[in-house]
Amino acid sequence: MTGLAQAITGLHVVALARRLIGARLDVEDAGGMIVETEAYAQDDPASHSFRGPTARNAAMFGLAARAYVYRSYGIHLCLNVTAGGGGAVLIRALIPDRGLPAMQARRGSAMLCNGPGRLTQALAVRPDDDGAPLDGPRLRIVLSDPVADLLVGPRIGISRAQDLPWRFGHARAGGFSRPFPR
């Protein structure tokens, strides 16, 4: 088992979502600090895994520390970190600090990574990254010290289990996909 997998295996998906705040995410030539996440558990009606394993959500039922990549509304790719057992954490935003020219060229906009679709486009996440280890040569997450000051709020853009406070943000950062409620 790799370092990342060892560090996160056994964490409940909510604990993983909190733990990923402040971590570094790199995809080849571009990356930055994760500042916003959302948790999705297997018993959560808003989760893709709620109805059990399918070809689409297979990565969620595999090993922890893998990428779960899916297309949202048939348009945007979304990148998640698997927790194992049907859970995954959506990476909603990061503060980019590496590969900015490449990200700007991919996005064609100043808004680079403040939203899951923008983030995957800026980082050049691909559908075939689904199931890939997140400590490999292409995709890499490096955990930092846990962030003490977190913002907590309801998840965004879902129609079920909207009341769960499973969205997390770095309290001393900006660049969120949407503001947190005060």
Side-chain angles (χ1 to χ4, degrees):
M1 192 178 298
T2 66
L4 179 63
Q6 274 185 320
I8 70 170
T9 296
L11 287 181
H12 184 271
V13 70
V14 173
L16 176 57
R18 297 173 71 94
R19 184 67 182 90
L20 288 170
I21 300 295
R24 174 157 198 89
L25 168 62
D26 288 303
V27 180
E28 290 183 330
D29 63 344
M33 179 179 66
I34 298 171
V35 295
E36 184 183 1
T37 60
E38 280 182 350
Y40 291 89
Q42 201 276 320
D43 61 352
D44 168 9
S47 178
H48 292 168
S49 63
F50 184 66
R51 292 192 185 350
T54 65
R56 177 186 186 206
N57 68 17
M60 294 179 78
F61 290 93
L63 299 172
R66 300 288 176 136
Y68 168 48
V69 178
Y70 66 89
R71 195 169 297 279
S72 177
Y73 302 110
I75 303 167
H76 306 289
L77 292 177
C78 292
L79 174 64
N80 296 256
V81 177
T82 62
V89 174
L90 174 63
I91 307 300
R92 290 200 61 87
L94 66 80
I95 301 294
D97 63 9
R98 182 171 166 260
L100 294 172
M103 285 195 241
Q104 290 165 340
R106 291 175 191 135
R107 285 278 309 131
S109 166
M111 296 197 316
L112 298 180
C113 298
N114 60 334
R118 291 180 186 126
L119 181 147
T120 56
Q121 185 181 22
L123 296 175
V125 171
R126 307 180 304 228
D128 64 342
D129 289 325
D130 186 45
L134 290 168
D135 60 355
R138 179 167 152 68
L139 303 164
R140 178 166 297 279
I141 289 180
V142 177
L143 296 175
S144 65
D145 291 334
V147 172
D149 298 330
L150 293 179
L151 299 170
V152 179
R155 297 176 294 183
I156 298 171
I158 57 173
S159 58
R160 296 184 183 125
Q162 295 170 315
D163 58 327
L164 291 176
W166 286 6
R167 178 175 166 235
F168 303 96
H170 194 305
R172 286 178 264 127
F176 302 126
S177 59
R178 289 197 198 149
F180 277 80
R182 294 274 171 197

